[in-house]
Structures are given as structure tokens and as C-alpha cells.
Amino acid sequence: MTSYLCKGNQSSMADQVKLHGTWSSPFVYRVIWALKLKGVPYEYVEEDLFKKSPLLQQYNPVNKKIPVLVHGGKPVCESMIIVEYIDQTWPHNPLLPTDPYEKAMARFWVKFAEDKGSIIGSLFRVSGEEHEKAIKESLEMLKIVEEHGLGEKTFFGGDKIGIVDIAFGAFSHWLGVIEETLGLELLQPNAFPRLHAWTKNFKEVPVIKDNLPDRDKMLVQLKGIREMYLASK
Amino acid sequence: MAGEVVLLNFWPSTFGLRVRIALAEKGIKYEYKEEDLSNKSPLLLEMNPIIKQIPVLIHNGKPVCESLLIVQYIDEVWNDKSPLLPSDPCQRAQARFWADFVDKKVYVASRKVWRPKREEQEEGKKEFLETLKTMEGELGDKPYFGGETFGYVDVSFIPFYSWFHAYKVLDNINIEAECPKIDAWAKRCLQKETVAKNFPDKKKVYEFVAQTRKKYVSA
């Protein structure tokens, strides 16, 4: 994103919305869930990450990554930045609390999900001692989320889902597929009863239930990624 | 809006400096508490039990952690003067993107300069300079990242300038020569009282960096 791409009048709620993404990315789904929760119609554009479209490179010249939301021709990048943008532009059904302190707390957990959540993804790209270390760190991270993030609440957002639930969304569906691919069980119900319950409650929310990538397809994809890594060693 | 404001900080921290500048921009009076990071206070551990890091802003007894989140909090609560984030959603998202870039790319690359091996250091330097050049591209010919006025991205990035002298002397990275627009922008920011009054002395930062570095880098 660069300055010139924001020129012109503020995009109105009625302007066209496009989402550039890849079919199995949890980052893309964060944006899909936000758009669906707000009832915002959009056009989805599937990108090939091995052959990035000129449009993607134009909209996200710095990182060249998905998701990219394009609203009235103006691009917004980085999944959680896009989610806040959506929340600000379509303010009904707010995803963030209105109180500034509660907002700061919510953003803390969003940042935590961003900074620490990636440890689980890293399990694909390491083996041996590093793999063991990543497992240990993943479990520590889940413990913090269970005890401090979720606590006694049904959802991170309280009685209904909010921005933090969206940020941790990958735990609800992607984590299970990763566990199956690698033959691990990280989110054990005994060790993490609240988080485990949350994954079920989260996936029962109609917008979430109706918007998840195909599990079997994901399994095939992730198995392929893991095999490629092991073959390269 | 007012009430009691306390900042837990460590003086050379670029992240803490963001908060100091934001507080100054808003004219907020606060109590400053210096932390010894090798011996963290019970207050710090109580206020930030998860990350256990500075800066922490304590407003009316309630803690806010993570420098960029603190700056956003300050901007939202003390919204009567010196807005830091733009109100237009697209520009706001863009400002967040670039502040995020400073954290995820510029800062991360700057740490790679301290890698133990020589070749890794050289690679780190190259990456660090590339991220600075990207920032320079984004600045363009604007006086500030925020446009005509000092804003959120400026607050997020200017503290790193306090370490540039140390990088020049210790690592031979001449940012003034490599990124002249960034250098000019930094000097422009330092003409602001809110920045200048809070900026640590560059020689003190250099001594601190040199001393800390010995722990990370072999001779």
C-alpha cells in the first residue's frame, strides 16, 4: 500500500468490494467472516501464489501477499488491518468494543494471535529438535490464550464473536488439519477445556459454519507441503 | 479523560519512546517510572503478566501494553488535540500498515545486524538498509509520513533514529548517505519540541548499544 492508492474521496459503503485471496488461507477467511458478519457483498478473486497477478502486485507492492481487499478501487492489506477497516467502514454489528480501554485489550489479543499464532504454522518447516521446541512453544501459547485470553467467556468477544475470535479463527479449523497432517494433538480437551469448547462454539456460529474451506482438500494440500519439506532435507 | 497516567519504560527503548512522544503531542502529564529490565519490578509483572515488557501505560490503574496499541489508545482517549491517526478509513488502514511494517520488517531486520557471524551481519545490514529504502519510498517528497503534519507513522518510526548513530559507529551503516530523505525527515521531526525533549542522547544510546551488543556478537 502506498499513499497514492488512497487518493480521491472516501469509498462509500455502496462502492464495489473485491477480495483477493487463496482458497485455504486462514488470513483470507478472517476477512470473509468480517464481510459476511457485516452483510457486505463482495467479489472473490482467487490468486495463484506461484504466479501472482499484476493486479495483486499493483495493490500490494510492498509484500505482494494476500489477502488484499479492494474497496472502490482502493486496496487495503494485512488481514487484521482489513478487518478493522471493514469494522470502521460498515459500523453496524461492531466487531470491536466501543470503550477505548476494552478496544486496547481486544487489540492486544489480536496482536498476540498475529505474533504468536504463527508458531503453529512453523511446525511444517522444522524437524527434530526444532520441531520439539516449536511444539513446546505452541502449548505454552495455547495455555496463555486459554487462561488469560478466553478465561470464563464463551467467546473472546463475550456473548458473541468479535474481532479477537476472528483473529484466533485458525485454531478452530486449520489447527485440527495441521494436527492430523503431523500426527500431533496440541489442543487436547483435557488440557485446554475452554479453548476446546470455544472451537466448537465458534464453528456453530452460522457465518463461520457456512464459510470454512473444505477439510479434505486442506488435508491433501498440507500433506503435500509437509512432504515437500521433508524431501528437501 | 484526565486521571492518573503512569508510564513504565526503559530509557533506550525505541518502543517506549513512541509512547513518550505521543503523550507529549497530547500534552498529557504523567508519572515516569524507569524499569531495570534485568530486575523487573512487581508492578511491571503485575501490569503486563503475559509479555512482561515495557512500555506499559497505566491509566487510572488499568494497564495498556504494546507500544503501537498504547499510541492508538492515547489518540482515541485524548482526542481533543493533535490527532495522530487519520479519520479517513483508507488512510487510517494505510497508516497502520506502515507502522506495522516498521515493527515487522525494519525492526526485525535491524536485529539481524547483530547476528554472531560476519556473513550474517553483512546480510542483516543489507536487509536493514532495504527496509529503510522502502520507508524512504513511502515518504517520497512529503514532509512527514502523515503528509503535512506529524502523525502515527512518524511517531512509530522516529524513535529508531535514536539508534542510527550507534549503527554508524559500530556497524559502519551510514543511513545519512544511503537514505538522505529519511535523514532529512528525522531532522525535521527533531525540530519538534515533543520529539526533541524526549529523545535520548545519542552518545548514551551508543554506549548502551555497544555494551549490550557484546552479549550477542563474538569479536
Side-chain angles (χ1 to χ4, degrees):
Chain A
M1 280 166 51
T2 48
S3 318
Y4 66 86
L5 293 165
C6 259
K7 290 260 181 297
N9 296 327
Q10 185 169 320
S11 296
S12 83
M13 286 164 73
D15 284 333
Q16 193 193 35
V17 177
K18 283 189 181 179
L19 172 61
H20 292 247
T22 54
W23 69 271
S24 62
S25 162
F27 305 103
V28 171
Y29 271 86
R30 286 168 165 175
V31 179
I32 291 174
W33 295 330
L35 289 166
K36 294 279 186 186
L37 284 164
K38 301 282 188 169
V40 176
Y42 65 98
E43 184 191 322
Y44 177 77
V45 179
E46 179 74 15
E47 288 283 342
D48 177 352
L49 294 185
F50 295 103
K51 208 176 148 193
K52 293 174 185 176
S53 70
L55 257 182
L56 177 62
Q57 298 189 62
Q58 180 198 324
Y59 287 141
N60 192 353
V62 177
N63 292 334
K64 302 178 180 52
K65 281 180 171 174
I66 51 88
V68 178
L69 189 84
V70 187
H71 183 206
K74 293 181 208 165
V76 185
C77 309
E78 296 296 318
S79 60
M80 294 317 297
I81 292 178
I82 298 172
V83 172
E84 282 221 31
Y85 173 85
I86 290 169
D87 199 44
Q88 195 186 351
T89 307
W90 292 275
H92 58 282
N93 294 346
L95 300 171
L96 267 167
T98 38
D99 171 69
Y101 185 76
E102 296 301 321
K103 212 184 265 194
M105 290 307 298
R107 285 184 179 139
F108 174 87
W109 287 107
V110 168
K111 186 173 199 297
F112 189 91
E114 292 279 82
D115 292 347
K116 311 287 183 189
S118 60
I119 188 77
I120 292 177
S122 78
L123 285 165
F124 275 90
R125 299 183 296 278
V126 293
S127 50
E129 223 180 84
E130 275 187 11
H131 192 80
E132 291 306 311
K133 188 171 170 238
I135 291 174
K136 187 168 174 273
E137 282 179 20
S138 298
L139 290 170
E140 278 165 7
M141 183 269 296
L142 289 171
K143 191 163 194 289
I144 291 174
V145 178
E146 160 108 359
E147 288 175 14
H148 296 272
L150 189 57
E152 301 294 328
K153 305 193 295 284
T154 309
F155 297 112
F156 291 94
D159 293 328
K160 51 181 201 157
I161 64 171
I163 199 168
V164 182
D165 299 273
I166 290 174
F168 281 115
F171 286 178
S172 71
H173 186 69
W174 286 257
L175 178 53
V177 184
I178 290 172
E179 286 174 324
E180 193 178 324
T181 308
L182 298 174
L184 288 171
E185 199 191 354
L186 293 171
L187 197 51
Q188 287 176 0
N190 292 336
F192 306 103
R194 290 175 248 171
L195 209 43
H196 199 261
W198 172 84
T199 62
K200 301 222 174 315
N201 293 329
F202 183 71
K203 283 170 76 164
E204 282 304 307
V205 174
V207 159
I208 309 301
K209 193 174 185 179
D210 294 338
N211 293 284
L212 288 169
D214 183 89
R215 201 180 187 280
D216 294 331
K217 264 182 92 178
M218 277 169 67
L219 210 49
V220 171
Q221 186 192 47
L222 293 184
K223 279 188 172 146
I225 293 173
R226 183 62 177 167
E227 271 157 30
M228 257 173 57
Y229 163 75
L230 293 171
S232 72
K233 283 205 57 179
Chain B
M1 192 196 296
E4 194 193 53
V5 181
V6 179
L7 174 64
L8 306 183
N9 194 31
F10 178 51
W11 71 268
S13 165
T14 49
F15 303 103
L17 187 49
R18 289 168 166 172
V19 180
R20 299 191 70 171
I21 294 170
L23 288 165
E25 283 285 306
K26 301 286 188 174
I28 298 164
K29 290 195 173 31
Y30 63 98
E31 185 189 342
Y32 180 90
K33 286 193 171 162
E34 185 71 27
E35 283 283 335
D36 173 0
L37 296 185
S38 61
N39 186 18
K40 292 173 183 176
S41 72
L43 181 62
L44 173 57
L45 297 175
E46 180 198 339
M47 291 289 140
N48 193 353
I50 294 163
I51 314 286
K52 304 180 178 60
Q53 273 294 8
I54 56 89
V56 179
L57 191 82
I58 310 172
H59 184 206
N60 292 328
K62 296 199 285 191
V64 185
C65 309
E66 298 293 334
S67 62
L68 291 181
L69 302 190
I70 300 172
V71 173
Q72 288 181 69
Y73 175 80
I74 290 168
D75 199 40
E76 281 161 18
V77 173
W78 286 272
N79 55 9
D80 54 336
K81 69 181 268 201
S82 307
L84 296 172
L85 275 154
S87 49
D88 171 70
C90 181
Q91 288 174 12
R92 200 177 183 90
Q94 184 187 244
R96 286 204 171 105
F97 176 89
W98 285 104
D100 200 47
F101 183 87
V102 173
D103 274 359
K104 294 208 173 105
K105 305 284 183 185
V106 181
Y107 171 67
V108 169
S110 74
R111 294 303 300 262
K112 291 180 182 176
V113 172
W114 288 14
R115 280 168 167 166
K117 295 185 192 144
R118 182 112 239 144
E119 326 87 62
E120 286 174 334
Q121 282 170 30
E122 287 308 310
E123 204 184 288
K125 275 189 214 178
K126 195 167 160 258
E127 203 182 308
F128 179 44
L129 279 170
E130 270 166 24
T131 64
L132 292 178
K133 289 192 170 140
T134 304
M135 292 299 292
E136 198 172 49
E138 169 56 18
L139 180 66
D141 293 316
K142 304 196 296 286
Y144 300 104
F145 284 93
E148 292 304 312
T149 49
F150 186 77
Y152 181 67
V153 181
D154 303 282
V155 172
S156 307
F157 189 32
I158 190 61
F160 290 86
Y161 184 72
S162 65
W163 285 46
F164 283 9
H165 174 71
Y167 280 117
K168 188 174 179 182
V169 178
L170 289 168
D171 304 299
N172 207 25
I173 304 177
N174 189 348
I175 297 163
E176 193 176 354
E178 299 270 356
C179 304
K181 281 184 178 170
I182 292 293
D183 191 69
W185 159 81
K187 287 173 172 138
R188 189 176 302 122
C189 290
L190 275 161
Q191 284 174 358
K192 288 175 61 68
E193 198 186 329
T194 54
V195 178
K197 265 181 98 167
N198 288 294
F199 234 63
D201 175 71
K202 69 181 183 188
K203 288 208 179 81
K204 278 194 177 155
V205 172
Y206 160 75
E207 277 158 18
F208 167 76
V209 174
Q211 215 177 27
T212 316
R213 207 161 175 254
K214 283 188 193 140
K215 296 183 201 165
Y216 292 94
V217 180
S218 52

